[in-house]
Amino acid sequence: MTSVDFEHLTAAEARTHRTEVEDIYRGAYVDAIRAGAPFTDPVAFMQRFDAYTAPNRPGEFEQIIVSISGRPVGQVWGWSLSKETAWWNGLQLDEPQVHDDFTVEDGTRTFALSELMVKKDMTGRGLARTLHNSLLRSRPEQRATLLVRPDNTRAYQTYLRWGWYRVGRLRPGWPDAPQFDVLIHDLRQ
């Protein structure tokens, strides 16, 4: 019999699962890692993970790892954007005149969904959707945001089907970061 388990983790708890986090990443991003782009290098990815889960980092971090029969196969994580967030730095809004206060944060307005991944051999089973919904349904924020590469057609189209919409684009401050489209999802609907 197959068992499916979802483990909810705080930042401190997530740090104790570094091996599983990297293993899931390597299994989900096989092709991107093989392509050799510096941003997708597992070492660079784990450096970002360490920064996201660092002690005393602003914003409430939450992670969910899904395991099937004891094997970690997928994960999702994010955090609430604090008043001091750098998340919006470099944002180019599609309609800037409409959103004068768009980037104003107070720690309760926006949840940043940073990563959602399922190992390549486990895709097509609804695990990504289940992880996505499990993380967002309990969030108290008004909205969620995520960054998606415009050329990642499969993920992009999936997010649009799940109710996300584009508001602009930005390049994060991480070394070798590509340009991303910025998507928003209303959590109060």
Side-chain angles (χ1 to χ4, degrees):
M1 181 168 185
T2 303
S3 67
V4 180
D5 298 301
F6 293 87
E7 187 173 7
H8 293 255
L9 305 167
T10 64
E13 293 165 337
R15 287 192 299 275
T16 69
H17 290 268
R18 279 186 101 261
T19 302
E20 292 95 335
V21 167
E22 183 174 352
D23 180 64
I24 294 168
Y25 176 75
R26 287 177 178 275
Y29 286 90
V30 174
D31 298 332
I33 294 167
R34 190 176 300 127
F39 188 75
T40 58
D41 180 80
V43 171
F45 174 79
M46 292 308 295
Q47 288 171 342
R48 292 189 300 272
F49 172 78
D50 290 340
Y52 301 147
T53 61
N56 302 318
R57 184 180 191 281
E60 178 192 345
F61 179 93
E62 183 179 0
Q63 178 181 22
I64 303 172
I65 294 178
V66 61
S67 298
I68 297 181
S69 298
R71 176 183 169 228
V73 297
Q75 60 190 338
V76 63
W77 74 68
W79 57 87
S80 53
L81 295 182
S82 69
K83 192 174 191 173
E84 309 81 35
T85 188
W87 180 272
W88 302 118
N89 291 357
L91 174 66
Q92 298 172 350
L93 286 169
D94 293 338
E95 300 178 33
Q97 70 281 4
V98 177
H99 305 287
D100 291 337
D101 67 343
F102 186 84
T103 61
V104 175
E105 298 296 345
D106 61 7
T108 64
R109 183 178 189 201
T110 308
F111 182 79
L113 194 157
S114 178
E115 297 292 341
L116 171 61
M117 65 190 77
V118 174
K119 287 185 173 184
K120 193 172 180 178
D121 67 332
M122 299 302 291
T123 60
R125 300 169 190 234
L127 292 171
R129 177 78 186 253
T130 302
L131 283 165
H132 170 273
N133 292 348
S134 294
L135 182 64
L136 293 183
R137 84 169 132 250
S138 64
R139 296 305 313 172
E141 294 84 4
Q142 300 170 26
R143 64 186 185 177
T145 186
L146 63 76
L147 306 178
V148 63
R149 289 182 62 137
D151 62 349
N152 187 348
T153 308
R154 182 176 181 200
Y156 207 127
Q157 293 304 312
T158 298
Y159 289 130
L160 295 177
R161 277 195 317 275
W162 292 351
W164 294 82
Y165 58 93
R166 180 191 144 113
V167 295
R169 63 179 184 216
L170 72 80
R171 183 179 315 277
W174 291 105
D176 303 306
Q179 183 85 26
F180 289 95
D181 278 0
V182 179
L183 304 185
I184 293 290
H185 186 64
D186 297 319
L187 297 178
R188 300 249 169 127
Q189 293 182 2

XYZ file of all heavy atoms in Angstrom, residues 81-83 104-110 142:
85
model
N 5.764 38.608 3.192
C 6.679 39.712 2.895
C 6.612 40.752 4.008
O 5.543 41.267 4.328
C 6.333 40.350 1.559
C 6.520 39.462 0.326
C 6.179 40.240 -0.940
C 7.931 38.891 0.254
N 7.765 41.051 4.572
C 7.849 42.029 5.651
C 7.941 43.442 5.086
O 8.141 43.640 3.879
C 9.076 41.746 6.517
O 10.250 42.022 5.781
N 7.836 44.403 5.961
C 7.925 45.810 5.577
C 9.257 46.111 4.886
O 9.318 46.939 3.986
C 7.765 46.671 6.837
C 7.558 48.117 6.583
C 7.261 48.848 7.880
C 6.787 50.248 7.601
N 6.347 50.929 8.805
N 3.819 48.161 -1.255
C 3.800 48.468 0.176
C 3.450 47.198 0.945
O 2.405 46.576 0.719
C 2.779 49.585 0.497
C 2.681 49.809 1.994
C 3.162 50.862 -0.224
N 4.339 46.808 1.848
C 4.150 45.589 2.636
C 4.164 45.906 4.124
O 4.808 46.848 4.556
C 5.244 44.563 2.315
C 5.252 44.088 0.875
C 4.008 43.325 0.467
O 3.230 42.887 1.344
O 3.799 43.153 -0.756
N 3.457 45.071 4.875
C 3.406 45.247 6.330
C 3.566 43.915 7.076
O 3.376 43.854 8.285
C 2.099 45.920 6.736
C 0.875 45.099 6.358
O 1.016 43.940 5.903
O -0.241 45.613 6.523
N 3.901 42.861 6.363
C 4.049 41.550 6.994
C 2.780 40.715 6.969
O 2.811 39.542 7.314
N 1.665 41.328 6.551
C 0.394 40.585 6.498
C -0.294 40.693 5.140
O -1.316 40.055 4.931
C -0.587 41.098 7.572
O -0.932 42.456 7.288
C 0.002 40.996 8.964
N 0.243 41.470 4.233
C -0.437 41.716 2.952
C -0.163 40.641 1.900
O -1.068 40.212 1.190
C -0.001 43.072 2.404
C -0.714 43.437 1.125
C -0.299 44.800 0.629
N -1.149 45.211 -0.489
C -0.818 46.120 -1.360
N 0.337 46.761 -1.243
N -1.626 46.435 -2.343
N 1.114 40.224 1.759
C 1.501 39.366 0.635
C 2.319 38.172 1.107
O 3.239 38.313 1.905
C 2.336 40.161 -0.393
O 1.636 41.356 -0.743
C 2.601 39.338 -1.638
N -3.591 38.710 2.173
C -4.595 39.096 1.174
C -4.305 38.506 -0.201
O -5.218 38.220 -0.969
C -4.631 40.622 1.018
C -4.979 41.374 2.262
C -4.734 42.873 2.058
O -4.774 43.381 0.945
N -4.477 43.572 3.146
